[in-house]
Amino acid sequence: MAKMLKDSLKTIESYKAISPHYEEILDILEEVLILREKHRQAVTEIIFPVDERLVPEKVKGGLPLIDFATADFDIEKPKAYFLDLLSIAEKRAPGETRELAQRIEKGEVDFKEMVLDAFFGPYTEEDQEEAEGDESQDAFDLIDMFLEECLRPALERVVQKYGEAVTRYGWSEGYCPICGKEPKIGEIKDEEGKRYLFCNQCGIEWPYKRIKCPFCGNEEQQTLAYFTVEDDERYRVDVCNECRRYIKIIDFRHTKEEADLDVEDITTIHLDILASEEGYE
């Protein structure tokens, strides 16, 4: 894992040099990844209950291994991570997140409910203001990001233990086999040019048919398309004209690079903007 962190930080530095307009958000990602590694090492046990007897049936039946609707997990380690993450926002906007951190520490805010609202939400600005009062949009954006991120180290432990089983039993859905989240980004790799989807929530990748929408299951080639930008065909956006959804796809097969999809998701925000302008969600 330490090598992965080192590689990610190296990738971030290279992107800062070639894409200075992303420097601020990449600085934040850099700090997040360092904190993530620290808290990953602190998570020594799986906090999300997974019934091992049901794993084959769940995978084959298209059910994620974790049922967040039960809310049956220990929130303490994600909470500790979230409070550390808030320090990143606090450095950039002093005072904006201090009250929220204090209220969480005192138990005045139900942090588990806050996380689940963000997971199923999305967590809205109205919810945010109710929890901590008026604040800047920048701080709100970071808090929204950190609520998603705070589960990552604990979820990676589940991926570590059950990721191979997901592949073995043949997961074929467009949403995450571990937590059920929809993907925002994926990649093309292997000699066969297989498409893999990536879950930002827990960090797992899984293979998925290239000619199929991961959101509505549409397989009609006439209504599936993609577009690229600025003659760089390594980056593309797969779109479905049935459900009007999109997913970003990275193809580094013809380079020596390996895609770091946490970093690539940040440095392809311009693709999200273009897709939105074209009417895709």
Side-chain angles (χ1 to χ4, degrees), residues 227 229 235-237 246 248 268-275:
F227 64 83
V229 183
Y235 298 91
R236 78 183 205 198
V237 180
Y246 77 93
K248 299 179 292 187
T268 53
I269 291 174
H270 58 289
L271 296 181
D272 295 294
I273 295 170
L274 288 169

Side-chain angles (χ1 to χ4, degrees), residues 199-225:
C199 178
N200 296 75
Q201 185 75 72
C202 62
I204 195 172
E205 266 191 306
W206 69 98
Y208 194 73
K209 291 179 67 173
R210 285 187 67 165
I211 309 300
K212 186 175 183 179
C213 174
F215 307 111
C216 71
N218 175 30
E219 296 185 71
E220 293 294 329
Q221 192 165 358
Q222 298 88 337
T223 54
L224 294 169

Side-chain angles (χ1 to χ4, degrees), residues 36-277:
R36 181 192 293 172
E37 179 61 25
K38 171 188 170 184
H39 284 268
R40 180 193 286 120
Q41 293 175 12
V43 180
T44 56
E45 298 178 353
I46 290 178
I47 68 172
F48 301 103
V50 175
D51 190 333
E52 294 196 7
R53 300 169 301 172
L54 299 179
V55 169
E57 288 77 10
K58 278 196 161 189
V59 173
K60 293 173 184 176
L63 296 173
L65 299 190
I66 300 171
D67 181 6
F68 275 94
T70 66
D72 185 19
F73 62 94
D74 184 354
I75 198 64
E76 290 307 308
K77 289 191 183 300
K79 181 167 72 174
Y81 184 27
F82 181 75
L83 290 172
D84 270 0
L85 288 166
L86 284 186
S87 66
I88 296 174
E90 184 67 18
K91 283 191 297 185
R92 288 163 174 79
E96 295 289 356
T97 60
R98 192 176 304 138
E99 182 183 352
L100 175 61
Q102 291 171 347
R103 295 187 67 192
I104 290 172
E105 289 171 332
K106 291 177 182 177
E108 296 174 0
V109 172
D110 187 330
F111 183 66
K112 180 180 281 189
E113 183 178 344
M114 191 176 176
V115 169
L116 291 173
D117 284 347
F119 188 89
F120 291 111
Y123 194 66
T124 65
E125 189 165 4
E126 183 179 346
D127 294 329
Q128 184 75 20
E129 290 175 359
E130 186 176 320
E132 62 187 275
D134 194 20
E135 62 168 311
S136 73
Q137 184 63 37
D138 286 345
F140 166 72
D141 288 342
L142 283 179
I143 290 169
D144 192 51
M145 171 184 170
F146 294 160
L147 282 170
E148 179 178 297
E149 171 64 27
C150 75
L151 296 177
R152 178 73 176 262
L155 286 171
E156 285 186 353
R157 289 297 180 194
V158 182
V159 174
Q160 196 174 36
K161 185 169 183 179
Y162 297 105
E164 289 184 7
V166 166
T167 302
R168 183 165 66 252
Y169 295 118
W171 182 262
S172 60
E173 307 298 334
Y175 46 86
C176 176
I178 301 297
C179 68
K181 276 281 193 176
E182 292 182 336
K184 296 186 288 185
I185 195 167
E187 64 176 317
I188 303 293
K189 60 182 183 180
D190 302 336
E191 291 183 4
E192 300 85 359
K194 290 182 180 178
R195 181 170 67 161
Y196 289 77
L197 307 182
F198 177 74
C199 178
N200 296 75
Q201 185 75 72
C202 62
I204 195 172
E205 266 191 306
W206 69 98
Y208 194 73
K209 291 179 67 173
R210 285 187 67 165
I211 309 300
K212 186 175 183 179
C213 174
F215 307 111
C216 71
N218 175 30
E219 296 185 71
E220 293 294 329
Q221 192 165 358
Q222 298 88 337
T223 54
L224 294 169
Y226 71 89
F227 64 83
T228 58
V229 183
E230 296 177 355
D231 300 321
D232 191 347
E233 295 187 356
R234 297 177 304 166
Y235 298 91
R236 78 183 205 198
V237 180
D238 287 359
V239 300
C240 174
N241 289 312
E242 284 293 320
C243 67
R244 304 297 295 177
R245 301 285 300 277
Y246 77 93
I247 184 167
K248 299 179 292 187
I249 297 294
I250 315 301
D251 185 354
F252 283 173
R253 286 176 299 160
H254 302 300
T255 74
K256 295 181 179 180
E257 301 173 75
E258 287 190 16
D260 184 323
L261 295 180
D262 280 315
V263 179
E264 295 297 339
D265 187 40
I266 293 294
T267 57
T268 53
I269 291 174
H270 58 289
L271 296 181
D272 295 294
I273 295 170
L274 288 169
S276 178
E277 290 175 347

